[in-house]
Amino acid sequence: MAKVSFFIIFAIIMVLNSKSKEAFEQACKTIPGGVNSPVRAFGAVGNDPLFIESGHGCHITDIDGNKFIDYVCSWGPLILGHLEESVLESIKLTLEKGTSFGAPTQLEIQLAELVTDAVPSIEKVRMVNSGTEATMSAIRLARGYTGRDLVVKFDGCYHGHVDGLLVQAGSGATTLGSPTSPGVPQDYIRNTLTIPYNDIDVVKEVCDKKGKEVACIILEPIAGNMGVIPPKKGYLEGLRELADSHGIVLIFDEVMTGFRVAYGGAQELYNVTPDLTTLGKIIGGGLPVGAYGGKSQIMDFISPNGSVYQAGTLSGNPLAMASGIATLKKLQEEGVYQRLELSSERLAEGFRKAAVDAGVPTYHARVGSMLCTFFHDGEVVDYESAKGCNTQRYASYFHGMLERGVYFAPSQFEASFVSTAHGGEDIDATIQASSEVMKSLK
Ligand SMILES: *Cc1c(COP(=O)(O)O)cnc(C)c1O
């Protein structure tokens, strides 16, 4: 009986995804693995990726015409959902004036001012094209500024695919089973000290031994690339103190959390001030953008003011700036974050109840509109505990949800994102689906 229903479900999936299947086969011939970023592959959940035709609000539609409620939201940028009107309008208006000049535009000033107003620790900000570029540049700057080489990073924190940071790097690397990538010379990572997240005593030990050689401590103030793991109480404050007493640059990688958990990011939420901040995702509103910023005293080490070199042909691209500006302006509107909080809370509570009612061991984490259901019996507080999750059960859950029209990230180690476009009905439909799928997992 179980076998028969398995084949029926399998056959349904085959029919529903025939165009995506074909597209994937075609893609694999000219694109490595058929995807331009490994997290898009469905390998960890044992299937082929869906090819997307369009998005609108909180929905995406694949090329077979299947419609899903989207909780990936382009991996975070789309906090307003797909094709939000004011963002679209802003991009269109800018497009008509030209796509790129390689010379300054006023749009860059506008976005810089929006960012510095939102995040008081950022006095000056440099635009780049991705989060990876932002963290890579911030680390170079921290090293140039301090004249030191060592970087402290944390297990399971992802900061993009920067050579020296691809050590125990969470996210796609964890999903694919190579947390530290081949192709990164031992010499490059000799200067990266990787230690467990959320354990201030280990940081203290490292600082006591090597503090005077450490250029920077870089972390996700809320880890969002090994599921969602909030900082323990006092942890960020502890890092701030240690950085101060050893002359270390403290970098918050807020590529995911910036403008996500609060308008001023995690540093506003926890009231801890870093020296440098990296941004990305939301500040591009769905177009390619990254940024890094901080105290003027440090930022002025960057060329052309200073001698730390960093550049970009398309940096500050008008279309990307227009998209970011419109997104941030929309986020300034009254009550946006309160509404996001309410719908995310309702969703997370629904997930929790669905799991409890079905008797499936899970651990639920949420900060604002970032959330994660860990298939784990017990708390998840760091990379070690995150790795203890039942990833096979996640895969079954993922497929069950997909069949019911809910699109999650194809990996246990990713956050789900709620956007302002997710309405009450979408949230309720998602909870209903979750409760059905949880029961089927027993
Ligand atoms: C997504 C992400 C990055 C990398 O950004 P890309 O634009 O993908 O290069 C870096 N840090 C964090 C915390 C991220 O979530």
Side-chain angles (χ1 to χ4, degrees):
M1 180 58 200
K3 240 186 186 155
V4 169
S5 59
F6 176 79
F7 279 120
I8 290 171
I9 289 170
F10 192 69
I12 292 171
I13 294 174
M14 293 293 285
V15 172
L16 288 176
N17 300 340
S18 60
K19 283 190 185 159
S20 273
K21 272 219 157 357
E22 226 168 84
F24 186 57
E25 274 166 28
Q26 189 185 350
C28 283
K29 290 179 189 158
T30 49
I31 301 171
V35 289
N36 277 311
S37 187
V39 293
R40 294 176 201 171
F42 277 23
V45 290
N47 209 336
D48 297 340
L50 300 178
F51 279 64
I52 306 303
E53 176 72 24
S54 64
H56 196 272
C58 71
H59 293 101
I60 51 173
T61 305
D62 71 11
I63 59 175
D64 286 290
N66 304 306
K67 192 172 166 186
F68 303 94
I69 304 173
D70 179 19
Y71 290 98
V72 177
C73 292
S74 189
W75 302 88
L78 300 181
I79 192 167
L80 303 175
H82 298 267
L83 290 187
E84 196 281 327
E85 227 168 279
S86 66
V87 176
L88 190 61
E89 197 54 31
S90 174
I91 296 173
K92 278 183 182 164
L93 284 174
T94 308
L95 177 62
E96 284 171 7
K97 296 183 186 171
T99 55
S100 182
F101 308 108
T105 64
Q106 286 176 309
L107 292 169
E108 291 159 87
I109 310 174
Q110 271 190 53
L111 187 54
E113 288 180 355
L114 281 165
V115 168
T116 53
D117 285 348
V119 188
S121 75
I122 302 183
E123 292 169 4
K124 288 189 180 171
V125 59
R126 172 63 64 83
M127 292 296 158
V128 291
N129 303 291
S130 68
T132 297
E133 257 188 88
T135 59
M136 178 184 81
S137 311
I139 280 174
R140 183 183 304 141
L141 173 58
R143 284 173 164 157
Y145 175 73
T146 57
R148 302 171 179 180
D149 287 342
L150 295 184
V151 169
V152 172
K153 92 168 273 290
F154 299 92
D155 296 338
C157 278
Y158 178 67
H159 305 293
H161 60 94
V162 179
D163 275 335
L165 297 177
L166 268 185
V167 187
Q168 301 295 332
S171 190
T174 299
T175 307
L176 300 173
S178 57
T180 307
S181 175
V184 176
Q186 213 50 44
D187 264 3
Y188 282 31
I189 56 177
R190 212 185 39 202
N191 289 315
T192 308
L193 306 174
T194 311
I195 54 178
Y197 189 74
N198 253 339
D199 185 343
I200 198 69
D201 291 337
V202 185
V203 189
K204 193 163 183 310
E205 244 168 69
V206 168
C207 288
D208 284 344
K209 272 197 208 130
K210 303 214 169 213
K212 290 287 166 270
E213 296 165 57
V214 175
C216 61
I217 297 172
I218 184 167
L219 78 154
E220 297 179 72
I222 300 157
N225 286 286
M226 44 177 164
V228 174
I229 304 184
K232 284 185 181 163
K233 204 166 169 359
Y235 182 62
L236 299 177
E237 290 85 346
L239 293 176
R240 179 67 275 175
E241 267 172 39
L242 286 168
D244 282 339
S245 56
H246 292 88
I248 298 168
V249 174
L250 181 62
I251 306 175
F252 280 5
D253 180 355
E254 297 227 45
V255 170
M256 184 184 289
T257 52
F259 296 94
R260 165 62 62 184
V261 294
Y263 190 66
Q267 51 196 281
E268 176 188 309
L269 195 66
Y270 295 105
N271 196 24
V272 177
T273 306
D275 300 303
L276 292 178
T277 301
T278 54
L279 294 167
K281 298 194 169 122
I282 288 175
I283 60 160
L287 268 74
V289 181
Y292 63 107
K295 294 177 183 157
S296 298
Q297 177 200 345
I298 305 179
M299 291 305 288
D300 282 336
F301 268 67
I302 304 244
S303 61
N305 283 3
S307 52
V308 175
Y309 196 71
Q310 185 270 311
T313 302
L314 291 173
S315 293
N317 175 266
L319 295 180
M321 296 299 102
S323 172
I325 291 163
T327 300
L328 298 200
K329 283 194 174 155
K330 193 82 194 167
L331 290 174
Q332 286 178 345
E333 286 178 7
E334 190 67 31
V336 168
Y337 287 92
Q338 286 94 316
R339 283 200 302 278
L340 268 176
E341 175 68 22
L342 284 178
S343 49
S344 307
E345 187 184 28
R346 177 158 155 194
L347 182 65
E349 179 51 27
F351 283 161
R352 195 195 59 78
K353 193 165 176 304
V356 169
D357 287 352
V360 177
T362 47
Y363 181 73
H364 301 262
R366 178 182 75 87
V367 182
S369 53
M370 287 167 66
L371 51 119
C372 183
T373 302
F374 292 101
F375 288 85
H376 189 283
D377 201 354
E379 272 194 324
V380 178
V381 295
D382 57 14
Y383 190 46
E384 210 40 50
S385 41
K387 279 192 301 187
C389 285
N390 187 335
T391 52
Q392 266 174 343
R393 192 170 279 165
Y394 179 81
S396 306
Y397 179 70
F398 167 86
H399 282 298
M401 293 301 278
L402 200 64
E403 282 158 30
R404 287 166 180 79
V406 179
Y407 187 84
F408 282 139
S411 162
Q412 167 73 85
F413 305 106
E414 305 289 354
S416 294
F417 298 105
V418 180
S419 78
T420 55
H422 288 84
E425 274 174 39
D426 307 302
I427 301 281
D428 287 346
T430 307
I431 295 170
Q432 175 60 30
S434 189
S435 124
E436 287 172 28
V437 177
M438 282 291 179
K439 277 179 199 136
S440 78
L441 293 181
K442 272 295 278 185

